[in-house]
Amino acid sequence: MFHNREWGIMNAASSELLLLPGLICDARIFAAQLERFAGAVAVDGLGARTSLTAMARHVLDTVPGRYSLLGHSMGARVALEIVRLAPDRVERLALLSTGTHPVQPGEADKRHRLVEIGRAGGAAALVDAWLPPMLAPANRADPAVYEPLATMCRDNGVEVFAAQVEALLTRPALEGLLPTIRCPVMIAGGSEDVWSPPAQHEAIHAAIPHSRLTIVAGAGHMLPVEAPGPLNDAIAAWLSQPISH
């Protein structure tokens, strides 16, 4: 599923499409998008930073220029922080498999429990507990989907997970930001995503004027891997939207 190639940010200045991965993920999750879109660049993980703002500043400092910015899961929240900090740097915005709500009751306990599992049993135990619910039921038993994702997450490790969980639990409010976004916006999620269900994406769509919403049938939270064809078609349509200057 994933190609044996290092995806980095080395030619970012000439890139039109910048991809931001989510929690405990890295550029490998975007293998199908990097193959489809010439010049696309994926940030190879957001590291053990403990705030979304720090992640956003890292991207802004590391990747020059303006870009069509696509974020998956936590990466979508980082993309919104980039819009808040430097809206002139974002020509288009795509938000995949995410939410914009504040921390919910019970969320901190659920996330901290996973950190405890990882610290007690290692990265393999963490991934075994965390990853299956992120996938549509049909994909959990498909080695071609599951095993590359599990390897990627194990490689990133428990402490990256713990730091990124802290960033998510201290996330800034977004209610005032969403209605101000004027660039072309694509919102996409999977119909079988139980962590970021379609209703969350519908709420984001309602809050951002003139945004476009795609719900991909049969996909779970790991949309770039679970449904690369439909997602890539939606990305192509988004990239074709004109930019207002």
Side-chain angles (χ1 to χ4, degrees):
M1 174 70 67
F2 294 139
H3 298 277
N4 186 21
R5 174 179 171 185
E6 291 185 4
W7 303 110
I9 52 178
M10 287 195 309
N11 295 315
S14 61
S15 175
E16 295 183 353
L17 175 59
L18 179 63
L19 310 169
L20 305 182
L23 177 62
I24 208 174
C25 294
D26 58 35
R28 284 174 280 185
I29 198 168
F30 295 123
Q33 290 69 51
L34 290 162
E35 285 220 342
R36 169 78 177 267
F37 299 101
V41 170
V43 172
D44 201 15
L46 290 161
R49 295 173 177 84
T50 56
S51 82
L52 299 184
T53 301
M55 295 176 189
R57 291 192 185 281
H58 168 71
V59 175
L60 288 166
D61 292 344
T62 308
V63 188
R66 286 164 57 85
Y67 18 80
S68 294
L69 185 61
L70 180 151
H72 172 251
S73 191
M74 181 190 73
R77 288 185 176 270
V78 175
L80 286 165
E81 275 302 287
I82 291 172
V83 171
R84 188 202 306 276
L85 293 170
D88 58 312
R89 300 279 297 275
V90 181
E91 291 189 338
R92 297 179 182 85
L93 178 66
L95 306 171
L96 311 183
S97 308
T98 196
T100 57
H101 53 277
V103 175
Q104 301 295 288
E107 180 182 341
D109 288 343
K110 185 183 298 186
R111 291 188 185 275
H112 286 147
R113 197 173 306 121
L114 287 164
V115 173
E116 291 168 3
I117 288 171
R119 286 181 171 156
L126 168 61
V127 171
D128 287 347
W130 176 76
L131 182 58
M134 296 292 110
L135 297 168
N139 292 326
R140 296 171 193 172
D142 184 348
V145 174
Y146 187 87
E147 291 304 327
L149 284 169
T151 297
M152 174 188 66
C153 294
R154 287 193 296 263
D155 287 349
N156 279 285
V158 175
E159 292 313 312
V160 166
F161 183 86
Q164 293 181 353
V165 160
E166 178 65 20
L168 286 164
L169 292 176
T170 56
R171 59 189 184 252
L174 292 169
E175 292 85 349
L177 176 66
L178 301 183
T180 71
I181 299 173
R182 292 292 180 265
C183 66
V185 178
M186 178 185 80
I187 300 152
S191 67
E192 306 306 306
D193 188 344
V194 296
W195 183 259
S196 300
Q200 288 186 189
H201 298 89
E202 291 162 3
I204 301 169
H205 173 50
I208 301 178
H210 312 298
S211 58
R212 296 184 179 185
L213 174 64
T214 298
I215 301 297
V216 181
H221 190 72
M222 297 302 191
L223 187 59
V225 173
E226 293 185 76
L231 176 59
N232 285 351
D233 290 344
I235 292 171
W238 166 66
L239 291 173
S240 72
Q241 289 183 254
I243 301 295
S244 299
H245 294 283

